[in-house]
Amino acid sequence: MAVQKMSDMIVPIAAISIRVVAKSPPAVSPHFVVRKQELDRMMKHLARSTDTKQKVFAITGMGGSGKTQLVSYFLQEMNGNKELFSHVVFVDARSEASLKTDLQLWAQSLGAGHEADDWNNGLEILATDLNDGSWVLIFDNADDPSLKLKKYFPRCSSGTIVFTSRNWEVGNLANTDHLELEKMSQGDALATLEKAAHRRLMEPSQELESAKTLMDELGCLPLALVHAGTYCHRQSSIIDGQDHLFTFTQYLNLFRKKRAALMNKKGVTTQEDYEHGVYTALDLSYQAINGSSKQFLHIISQFHYSEIPLAMFLEAAKAGFQDPRVFLPRPAEHRNVINQLTTLLCPDGEADEFQLRELIGDLRSFSLVSPSEGSLFLRLHPLVQAWIRDMRPAEPQDYQTMAKQIIISCCLSTNIRIYRYLLPHIEDIIGKDEGVDLHVNDQMALELVYRELGRYDDAETLIEFASNSMREQSDKETEDTLYIEGRLAAIYMHQDLWYQAEELQLSVLERRRIVLSADHPDIIDAASNLAVVYINQERWNEAEPLQLEVLENRQKRLGPLHSRSIDAMTNLAVAYKGQGRLEEAVALEKEAVEMHKQIGTIDMPNGIQAQQNLATMYAKQGKWDEAEKLQMAVLEKQRALLGASHPTSINTAFFLADMYRNEGKWEDAEGIMEIAVTQSIEVMGKLDPRTQFYISILIDVYEELGKLEKAREMEELIVKLE
């Protein structure tokens, strides 16, 4: 009998049965460490909830944060609970095409009668309350903002829908909970690192300290931790039965030298979520944002990654991104920097908060930035910052100069609360060299910030750099060179270096009278500064006529309700008090305070100083209730404006404590003085004359309260002069 060839055989189509397999959730990685709090939120809303309505749960976070792995682990935990989830529908929602394909595959995988089903049939099957709604539909990687996800919800009142997405706005679709995956806790991050590296760290040890530093620099991002751990494991070996580990210390050093190469390196695991390089996962988000958002991301990555104040951008935009004062012209190409910032943040020619928030919203949609403190600040993940800095964009621009110019142009803002938030960003951009390579316009702008923050030594250094820069350009005395010297004299005043301040202020005043016209504002300012030096030296009779002259000139030029005219009144009132003319001093200072209220500067530095002066005058009159109440208000305002650890705030606290001391309220004085001394030591140093003075007052308080042991401990901090 002849054997029939296979090619001659005819097999009826109906007899062929092809088993369609639906997409499944990825397996849980062997390196996965469950985040208990996050898992508990899923359990609470999806497993333990007795609500019968359709549940929609969103998980968002940056690439590599472990969103899909958390879902896989949750499903693994629920595997035995068929009543909860009889059907798991896992859909790749990166695009509409992949979403429809996976829905169709799932429908066809149901077998007989569903062979020709499409994606729409799949939704209809779920909508028929399949198994009483005991199904879960997972839209994984639903990152595309243009994808209208809601139209793919089964039209029924039961079942469970879970999203994972880089797009934060997907959370608006949730009706149960929106879980934002941020960085792991230190404990979970360490467990992930150890698990991937196949080792356990001893405590305490250098390796543990290196691991903690590494975790911080990786921002506790799960994907980056797994890559670091697996790299260390692969680079380790066993020779002659001895373990030769590639240590976390070695990896940390390598990371700092070859960060981009390591973060672009593909993973070494078999788990899909961990195979891509860390930067590759972030590149997917970068490709999805628009051009303006990309440019803004490059700019903000130049700042320190935490607490980037939104007000900084708006204040800079209001100033037109210009230098506060031009001492020397900038290079011609600097105009491009200002034009680019203006185009980006002032599309209609003026500061545009809406445009700023649109840029932030686009970046936030892909979890590249996050807000903090009621959306007053922005934060970048440390690895997002590193990734952007390491990137070579198609159109390279001087983003560092743009970021620096944003800081520089808001340095004369009347919103001085912003200054204390600028320091970490200044230091991140210019480094720790205190401005040695900066343009003189930058040096003088930053000097103001350092001075307002009480960093007088740093401010002095910047002024010296600026002065040298000006001398290199020309030996000729100008209005600008005298202005710089006047600023240096002001720094001497803040440092209580009254002899140096007097000598320089006198010189500046005399030379300004030669260079400038008699009624020039800078001459009046120099006379005012010299009068303040006399006041602080208690040379009241020299201060009074000089300050009277300043007051008359300012009222004539600026009007009586100008802030600088009011400042002159305040200084004159202090001179009157020093001369013993207390009633005149109080009357004049009260008038100054009322004027500050009228022009809206009562909560600004000079308005607060006027209230401070009035409080001390009330105390001098023995009006303790008025003095104490006003001084407490002043302290509260100073702390709100400058921060509790600013030298001015510390000194204000001392004044309040001194009032309590003079009233015999020793316990109240003790509490405030202890804080003031601790802060003064931290901020100004133990050897600072002001700190030494505060310590001596606290010793007196302790002795009065009979706390002699504490007094002796404080006495050890007193520096004995030879």
Side-chain angles (χ1 to χ4, degrees), residues 490-659:
I491 292 297
Y492 289 153
M493 291 162 63
H494 284 293
Q495 295 170 310
D496 294 340
L497 301 173
W498 300 111
Y499 174 77
Q500 293 94 320
E502 179 186 353
E503 186 177 45
L504 191 52
Q505 290 287 18
L506 272 169
S507 173
V508 168
L509 178 58
E510 289 170 2
R511 285 182 287 153
R512 276 182 172 169
R513 282 174 171 156
I514 295 171
V515 174
L516 305 173
S517 59
D519 61 346
H520 194 283
D522 284 356
I523 291 179
I524 301 170
D525 290 346
S528 177
N529 291 336
L530 182 58
V532 171
V533 172
Y534 290 153
I535 286 170
N536 281 278
Q537 292 176 309
E538 299 186 0
R539 293 159 63 178
W540 313 113
N541 293 335
E542 292 169 87
E544 182 204 352
L546 202 53
Q547 200 59 57
L548 274 168
E549 179 187 343
V550 170
L551 177 59
E552 182 181 342
N553 277 316
R554 284 187 176 167
Q555 287 182 334
K556 181 180 177 181
R557 287 180 55 84
L558 305 172
L561 281 177
H562 193 279
S563 61
R564 308 200 78 184
S565 300
I566 303 170
D567 293 343
M569 289 178 64
T570 292
N571 290 336
L572 181 58
V574 174
Y576 285 161
K577 185 186 80 167
Q579 291 174 318
R581 298 158 63 181
L582 198 52
E583 294 300 325
E584 291 176 82
V586 169
L588 194 58
E589 199 67 79
K590 285 175 74 173
E591 185 180 356
V593 168
E594 287 304 314
M595 286 180 169
H596 275 299
K597 288 179 181 177
Q598 286 183 54
I599 66 172
T601 55
I602 193 64
D603 293 330
M604 297 300 290
N606 292 358
I608 296 172
Q609 183 60 53
Q611 294 168 82
Q612 167 83 70
N613 293 344
L614 184 56
T616 59
M617 291 173 189
Y618 282 150
K620 190 81 172 174
Q621 288 180 315
K623 297 178 179 179
W624 297 111
D625 288 344
E626 293 97 321
E628 184 181 320
K629 181 179 178 181
L630 188 54
Q631 189 64 28
M632 287 176 70
V634 166
L635 179 58
E636 185 178 336
K637 290 178 180 181
Q638 290 282 26
R639 286 174 170 172
L641 190 67
L642 304 172
S645 60
H646 190 282
T648 301
S649 299
I650 296 170
N651 198 49
T652 302
F654 163 74
F655 277 124
L656 179 59
D658 198 45
M659 285 182 186

Side-chain angles (χ1 to χ4, degrees), residues 277-289:
V278 177
Y279 281 3
T280 304
L282 295 171
D283 286 340
L284 295 173
S285 298
Y286 185 79
Q287 292 163 13
I289 60 178

Side-chain angles (χ1 to χ4, degrees), residues 253-267:
N253 292 332
L254 187 62
F255 175 78
R256 288 171 173 171
K257 295 175 184 175
K258 297 287 185 179
R259 181 177 65 198
L262 283 172
M263 293 296 97
N264 278 308
K265 188 176 178 62
K266 287 189 176 181

Side-chain angles (χ1 to χ4, degrees), residues 702-719:
Y702 281 149
E703 288 176 346
E704 186 65 34
L705 290 170
K707 297 182 178 181
L708 302 182
E709 187 171 340
K710 282 192 170 185
R712 283 192 291 272
E713 289 174 3
M714 281 291 108
E715 285 173 353
E716 293 177 6
L717 298 177
I718 293 290
V719 178

Side-chain angles (χ1 to χ4, degrees), residues 62 68 168 197 252 264 344 353 370 431 696 718:
M62 63 184 285
T68 303
W168 176 84
L252 181 61
N264 278 308
L344 181 65
E353 185 173 353
S370 58
S696 67
I718 293 290

